[in-house]
Amino acid sequence: MFNYFQKSQRRRNILNKIKSNRIIINKFQSPLGIVPSEDAKPKEGFDFELKDGEIYSYRISVSANKIPYLFLKLIKLFPAYATMVIERISEDINRDFDIMMSDPDISKAEIKNIFKKYKELWVECGFVGFGIIDERTEFEVFINLDKEVIINTPYENVNEINSILGYFNLLNENPSFISDFEHWHYPLSSVVSYETVSESDEYVFDYYDIINNLKHLYGFSLINMNERIIRRQPKWWNVTVKCLGKCKKISSISSYYIVANTIEEMETLVDEKMKEMNIENYYIYDFYNVEPNNYNPRNFNL
């Protein structure tokens, strides 16, 4: 069964082409969306430390080709239900990153399916991180933006984790990380753009829309909304609204440009616009703050 990025022969051809140009340093395969400097000499292994007296933390340097297998092996240590965590570079001018957590009762089997379906996004895109957490014990496995695998765990899991790391030949305590040197991050869609002139191909690999779709399916909510530095006040919002027909199927998608000081005020303006257009069923698909100079004249100005 093909995953999302392999559904068509064209997508598979694009993937094969960009993977053939992957940067490899001494057999260490760099993720497609991470470009290391010439000084970088990545080496597999892990750093290990005790945090807060109870939680043990691993930072693992691992070749990109091993990441999916390592992650799926580590997931087996989790209980039947857990929470997904996604980090992405934000388009919001008041926030550098979006950190989102799903509903806490997603089955482990479903999380594995989501990981496998969008594997290239989590492993290769330099603008996205993905992980799983058991909020009860604070056991967490996360693939960060640098594509290092981060593990935070109570002591009870340490022996099994070490066994898994040994299976993948990662028990080297003198690793070298790409992120310790100058490096550059790119979204997967940008990598694709070098290989194709089709905007539709770039859209297929666009991290923002893929994550927005998952956000509504699995109840992801932003957890760092209040931690940001407000760089613009009042706030200028780009809002995408999906309107639903009688059968609750999507009948239209619209983008709006809104000036509002708070989320509540923005939502009220959207609701007033929907009532004005006699639309009863809708939901806000995405929203973020923008620079006033980035206003798109094709959008409505509320």
Side-chain angles (χ1 to χ4, degrees):
M1 183 177 179
F2 292 121
N3 70 20
Y4 173 82
F5 297 106
Q6 298 173 331
K7 275 187 175 180
S8 70
Q9 184 64 49
R10 181 169 181 79
R11 294 186 195 182
R12 295 195 291 275
N13 290 342
I14 292 171
L15 270 177
N16 291 336
K17 190 170 184 179
I18 60 179
K19 285 182 178 180
S20 69
N21 295 324
R22 183 191 301 278
I23 297 172
I24 301 175
I25 305 172
N26 295 328
K27 298 183 179 180
F28 188 104
Q29 298 187 19
S30 177
L32 298 173
I34 306 292
V35 177
S37 67
E38 293 183 357
D39 295 330
K41 297 291 186 290
K43 184 179 179 182
E44 291 188 326
F46 72 99
D47 284 340
F48 182 76
E49 64 176 326
L50 177 62
K51 296 170 61 176
D52 303 324
E54 297 180 357
I55 299 297
Y56 294 81
S57 181
Y58 293 79
R59 177 190 176 208
I60 304 167
S61 175
V62 56
S63 183
N65 59 309
K66 291 184 181 179
I67 293 176
Y69 306 103
L70 174 62
F71 188 83
L72 290 171
K73 200 87 169 175
L74 290 166
I75 282 182
K76 293 181 179 180
L77 303 180
F78 281 82
Y81 294 88
T83 302
M84 286 183 288
V85 182
I86 290 177
E87 182 179 9
R88 70 179 178 187
I89 301 294
S90 182
E91 291 189 1
D92 193 310
I93 64 163
N94 286 321
R95 190 171 56 248
D96 294 324
F97 307 98
D98 295 333
I99 302 174
M100 295 171 282
M101 295 181 70
S102 73
D103 290 332
D105 56 353
I106 308 297
S107 73
K108 182 166 63 175
E110 184 66 9
I111 294 173
K112 286 174 65 176
N113 288 338
I114 294 165
F115 179 78
K116 289 178 180 179
K117 184 175 182 179
Y118 301 101
K119 179 182 67 176
E120 279 80 10
L121 184 69
W122 316 129
V123 174
E124 307 287 3
C125 181
F127 275 27
V128 171
F130 180 84
I132 176 175
I133 184 170
D134 176 9
E135 295 185 68
R136 181 182 59 86
T137 64
E138 298 185 41
F139 177 32
E140 176 184 19
V141 176
F142 189 73
I143 303 168
N144 67 14
L145 297 178
D146 292 315
K147 304 310 169 190
E148 300 161 354
V149 177
I150 306 299
I151 305 174
N152 294 308
T153 181
Y155 178 75
E156 64 192 56
N157 295 320
V158 168
N159 287 338
E160 289 182 277
I161 290 170
N162 288 344
S163 177
I164 291 171
L165 296 183
Y167 177 82
F168 290 99
N169 296 317
L170 296 171
L171 286 178
N172 169 35
E173 296 185 26
N174 295 294
S176 178
F177 297 86
I178 289 177
S179 63
D180 289 342
F181 301 86
E182 187 175 18
H183 63 287
W184 298 268
H185 289 243
Y186 295 93
L188 198 54
S189 55
S190 290
V191 180
V192 169
S193 70
Y194 286 108
E195 306 297 341
T196 176
V197 294
S198 170
E199 289 187 6
S200 61
D201 288 332
E202 290 182 47
Y203 179 78
V204 167
F205 290 85
D206 185 77
Y207 75 101
Y208 226 82
D209 283 296
I210 293 170
I211 292 173
N212 281 340
N213 286 326
L214 291 173
K215 189 168 64 176
H216 292 281
L217 286 172
Y218 296 100
F220 279 96
S221 57
L222 198 65
I223 65 170
N224 64 327
M225 174 68 76
N226 298 322
E227 296 177 3
R228 61 192 177 184
I229 298 172
I230 303 301
R231 298 163 184 157
R232 283 287 181 181
Q233 191 82 18
K235 299 170 189 171
W236 305 68
W237 306 81
N238 184 298
V239 183
T240 302
V241 178
K242 290 194 174 183
C243 303
L244 308 177
K246 291 183 178 180
C247 297
K248 299 297 178 73
K249 293 184 178 180
I250 296 172
S251 58
S252 65
I253 302 175
S254 302
S255 292
Y256 299 94
Y257 183 72
I258 300 173
V259 179
N261 283 311
T262 64
I263 292 177
E264 291 76 15
E265 184 181 347
M266 175 271 289
E267 291 174 337
T268 298
L269 290 170
V270 170
D271 191 58
E272 290 174 354
K273 182 65 177 179
M274 295 299 104
K275 289 177 179 176
E276 181 185 317
M277 297 170 65
N278 294 318
I279 296 173
E280 295 184 7
N281 299 309
Y282 72 91
Y283 66 90
I284 296 176
Y285 175 70
D286 192 30
F287 63 88
Y288 51 88
N289 296 146
V290 297
E291 286 280 3
N293 293 336
N294 291 344
Y295 164 60
N296 185 345
R298 293 177 297 174
N299 294 342
F300 294 95
N301 188 3
L302 298 189

